[in-house]
Amino acid sequence: GIQVEQSPPDLILQEGANSTLRCNFSDSVNNLQWFHQNPWGQLINLFYIPSGTKQNGRLSATTVATERYSLLYISSSQTTDSGVYFCAVSSRGYGNKLVFGAGTILRVKS
Amino acid sequence: DGGITQSPKYLFRKEGQNVTLSCEQNLNHDAMYWYRQDPGQGLRLIYYSQIVNDFQKGDIAEGYSVSREKKESFPLTVTSAQKNPTAFYLCASSPPGQGRTGELFFGEGSRLTVL
């Protein structure tokens, strides 16, 4: 099946700093989503981005499908950004089922 | 408001008992999914259903069962055959077509602890 690798596994930031999270995948994809899992466990949709660039407030994401990676940018980080960020992808070769990476744990300190 | 509701949020059971987790959605989504999350790990697919009265096994279906008798509902039963059932269980759904292949939306999760 398709492989998804996220980096870094852990990240500690001072409030106000910027960060970049990376997601590499092993095959062509027809879906790529970024999620934020809050401290209570809920997964919040951040972006649906199988290709291209999107922005939502302080967050933006870029997927370069031909090179099989996606980046999530967090600018001016806040303590509420803390949690786990997951990248998930699906491909036709894997029955369009969403496969998750192991996540990046982000801690933002005030 | 439209959304995905999972219940209960927390559940404690004795070893050997079957447990059923509820998942209801009022988003008119066709597809529904169950994922399992263990501490410090990503999500793994247990079962999914694209339409009513049909469902398929995911990557870790052993010890679990599901039904899809209504579009809105996709309950998951954790049976006594599941060797390590303590985990966080997440239900998701995705809308039909619209050019956004398999975009998932999640419920708040159910945390099962087997004593």
Side-chain angles (χ1 to χ4, degrees), chain A residues 21-42:
Chain A
L21 281 56
R22 187 177 180 101
C23 173
N24 292 335
F25 43 94
S26 62
D27 204 346
S28 59
V29 298
N30 53 15
N31 178 9
L32 189 146
Q33 288 184 253
W34 283 99
F35 297 91
H36 174 218
Q37 188 168 38
N38 63 26
W40 297 272
Q42 186 168 15

Side-chain angles (χ1 to χ4, degrees), chain B residues 9-61:
Chain B
K9 285 191 170 40
Y10 299 92
L11 187 59
F12 296 87
R13 278 293 181 268
K14 291 183 181 177
E15 200 171 327
Q17 290 181 329
N18 288 359
V19 169
T20 297
L21 307 180
S22 168
C23 179
E24 303 276 333
Q25 55 97 2
N26 60 3
L27 300 168
N28 200 33
H29 288 176
D30 288 321
M32 296 186 74
Y33 308 79
W34 275 104
Y35 283 87
R36 169 184 171 135
Q37 185 179 27
D38 293 288
Q41 296 188 30
L43 280 67
R44 293 181 292 167
L45 183 63
I46 305 172
Y47 267 100
Y48 63 105
S49 167
Q50 306 279 26
I51 56 172
V52 174
N53 292 324
D54 188 43
F55 48 83
Q56 287 79 39
K57 292 182 179 179
D59 300 315
I60 55 165

Side-chain angles (χ1 to χ4, degrees), chain A residues 91-107:
Chain A
S91 73
R92 284 194 185 84
Y94 191 57
N96 291 326
K97 291 175 287 186
L98 211 57
V99 175
F100 281 74
T104 292
I105 301 172
L106 176 64
R107 298 180 182 89

